[in-house]
Amino acid sequence: MKALEGVKILDFTHVQSGPTCTQLLAWLGADCIKVERPGVGDATRKQLVDVEGADSLYFTMLNHNKRSITLNTKNETGREVLERLVKECDVLVENFAPGALDRMGFSWERIQELNPRMIMASVKGFGPGPYEDCKVYENVAQCTGGAASTTGFLDGPPLVTGAQIGDSGTGLHLALGIVSALFQRETTGRGQKVLAAMQDGVLNLCRVKLRDQQRLQHGPLSEYRQFGQDIPFGEAVPRAGNDSGGGQPGWILKCKGWENDPDAYVYFITQAPAWKKICDVIGKPEWKDDPEYATPPARLDKLTHIFDTIEEWTKTKTKFEVMDICNPLDIPCGPILSMKEIAEEPSLRDTGTVVEVDHPERGKYLSVGCPIKMSDSAVEVERSPLLGEHTIRASGAIGEVTAQAAE
């Protein structure tokens, strides 16, 4: 039995944020019915196409374990079918532009009339306020949620990250809200609205920077490398390069082969309990008792010199050799793994973190698997549906319905 077996999801999501949420629920056992426009479907089906005539990886990797129906909600039959689906399902998930559902005739009030137990979950760019009607994409969310202003190097422009913290991050937040609402419904018997705003989701993932903004009011942020370089702090949290952002200083260091390999680097943390072992490994045993280096506070204004010295050692080792030497000594570090290395890592295949999926149009492809592992609810990643694959045409009807809804 799957964790969410018996839960039926009416999936009106598209692109990335909403599909991330509903795919996670489908992985955990929910019956997810993706509703798409006849003949068109989710826009990502034909975005970034790499195999002619097949759904794109953008679509397939966000819509596993779902069923697809096409439904024309602009005609009477289509609206009747949608009403039946609303009555039968537990959760409606959408990331339409603000007001789209209302214009379709399915306001929150109407949905409650049809199904008082329905949970309506929405992804929006912003919460209530001056920007609530604005359209938001991944990088806009990263910028308005505080991530970009604190990412990058001090002498460069703000940067967005390759991790989709705006879209996928918000989808993960919404999934938790939905599961919580389902749990609460067991007590109240009532559905409710669940909102996850992309700006809010990014800010939640940037909470340590909001922490530092308040700390900055009481003095310079001494764990940032600019402190030791005598570079003054401004009024806002600065871009911190590869600083760890916590109490244990860290930096990305070159490893053997860095001249030709753009990923020959390791992230190295000078954790206080491991300091003496670090000194021995890099050939600086005198630093262990030197008052200028022996304690974390004494080292703060010398971080650049310390990491430059450690780097002279890491440049003589591959990133994996650094790991092999440091891990047994409890010195925290990690190699910079490329997407190619991740795709080829056997242990990630063994745990289902990376999976190979067979698709009738494009053949086999790699995808991420469920990031949540549960001992009593194993996840089997199934391919994404073809457009309208689970639709049947009702005899003489204008709209299109699922077999289950037609019964």
Side-chain angles (χ1 to χ4, degrees):
M1 182 175 180
K2 305 292 186 182
L4 295 180
E5 192 169 317
V7 175
K8 188 176 289 188
I9 308 291
L10 186 56
D11 183 2
F12 269 104
T13 69
H14 56 283
V15 190
Q16 185 178 166
S17 57
T20 296
C21 168
T22 51
Q23 177 173 259
L24 184 59
L25 299 176
W27 274 339
L28 297 178
D31 179 12
C32 185
I33 304 169
K34 186 176 180 73
V35 182
E36 302 184 73
R37 288 186 298 161
V40 179
D42 190 316
T44 60
R45 283 186 182 270
K46 300 308 174 186
Q47 284 185 3
L48 307 177
V49 171
D50 62 310
V51 176
E52 192 65 32
D55 288 332
S56 71
L57 289 169
Y58 196 0
F59 176 83
T60 59
M61 293 175 69
L62 285 162
N63 290 281
H64 292 123
N65 295 56
K66 301 179 184 180
R67 296 193 285 165
S68 169
I69 68 167
T70 54
L71 188 65
N72 184 357
T73 60
K74 293 183 179 180
N75 62 59
E76 183 177 350
T77 304
R79 286 190 292 272
E80 289 176 356
V81 171
L82 182 53
E83 284 192 3
R84 292 205 296 274
L85 287 169
V86 169
K87 290 177 181 178
E88 291 181 5
C89 291
D90 299 285
V91 184
L92 186 156
V93 190
E94 60 90 17
N95 60 335
F96 289 129
L101 269 181
D102 291 355
R103 292 190 293 272
M104 289 168 56
F106 288 87
S107 65
W108 170 237
E109 290 74 23
R110 177 58 179 154
I111 289 173
Q112 283 187 304
E113 289 177 7
L114 294 169
N115 184 355
R117 291 174 57 82
M118 172 67 79
I119 293 159
M120 190 176 84
S122 304
V123 172
K124 300 301 177 198
F126 297 94
Y131 305 115
E132 61 184 303
D133 294 330
C134 294
K135 203 168 188 177
V136 173
Y137 290 92
E138 170 65 40
N139 289 351
V140 174
Q142 289 194 30
C143 292
T144 58
S149 70
T150 60
T151 303
F153 288 89
L154 195 60
D155 57 354
L159 292 176
V160 296
T161 174
Q164 304 291 280
I165 60 175
D167 275 322
S168 290
T170 304
L172 295 172
H173 283 94
L174 187 65
L176 174 60
I178 290 170
V179 172
S180 299
L182 286 168
F183 183 80
Q184 187 174 8
R185 193 179 70 177
E186 293 299 305
T187 301
T188 66
R190 300 192 307 273
Q192 60 181 296
K193 290 197 292 185
V194 180
L195 170 65
M198 293 173 70
Q199 182 186 43
D200 298 1
V202 171
L203 179 57
N204 185 45
L205 298 175
C206 290
R207 66 181 68 186
V208 297
K209 299 301 182 180
L210 186 59
R211 172 204 67 192
D212 289 349
Q213 181 61 42
Q214 296 170 86
R215 293 175 56 232
L216 188 57
Q217 299 172 15
H218 303 285
L221 304 174
S222 57
E223 76 282 3
Y224 282 51
R225 294 226 306 187
Q226 73 179 75
F227 173 74
Q229 297 169 332
D230 293 325
I231 300 174
F233 286 82
E235 295 181 346
V237 174
R239 289 182 275 288
N242 292 315
D243 284 328
S244 68
Q248 308 295 338
W251 200 254
I252 289 180
L253 306 177
K254 298 171 182 174
C255 293
K256 187 176 182 179
W258 67 271
E259 299 91 342
N260 300 310
D261 182 354
D263 298 305
Y265 290 82
V266 67
Y267 198 90
F268 198 103
I269 297 175
T270 56
Q271 188 178 32
W275 175 247
K276 292 185 177 182
K277 296 176 183 177
I278 293 172
C279 294
D280 289 333
V281 164
I282 65 173
K284 285 290 183 180
E286 66 273 17
W287 280 0
K288 291 189 289 185
D289 299 314
D290 186 337
E292 291 293 310
Y293 293 91
T295 65
R299 294 193 289 271
L300 287 176
D301 63 352
K302 305 175 188 67
L303 289 179
T304 297
H305 173 62
I306 288 170
F307 282 118
D308 286 347
T309 304
I310 297 173
E311 188 174 62
E312 290 304 309
W313 174 76
T314 60
K315 285 195 296 186
T316 68
K317 311 291 181 185
T318 69
K319 59 188 178 184
F320 298 110
E321 288 172 339
V322 173
M323 286 281 288
D324 290 342
I325 293 169
C326 291
N327 275 344
L329 300 174
D330 290 327
I331 300 172
C333 61
I336 307 305
L337 295 180
S338 69
M339 282 295 152
K340 183 176 185 296
E341 290 169 320
I342 288 173
E344 296 172 352
E345 172 55 47
S347 66
L348 297 179
R349 306 285 187 99
D350 294 342
T351 60
T353 299
V354 174
V355 295
E356 187 174 75
V357 183
D358 201 4
H359 190 276
E361 293 179 339
R362 66 177 304 114
K364 292 183 178 181
Y365 66 94
L366 287 185
S367 183
V368 296
C370 184
I372 301 168
K373 310 297 193 291
M374 301 173 66
S375 62
D376 283 358
S377 186
V379 173
E380 297 175 6
V381 177
E382 301 171 1
R383 68 166 177 85
S384 61
L386 303 177
L387 177 60
E389 182 177 352
H390 302 93
T391 304
I392 65 166
R393 293 184 180 277
S395 178
I398 300 173
E400 297 180 15
V401 298
T402 65
Q404 190 167 8
E407 291 176 354

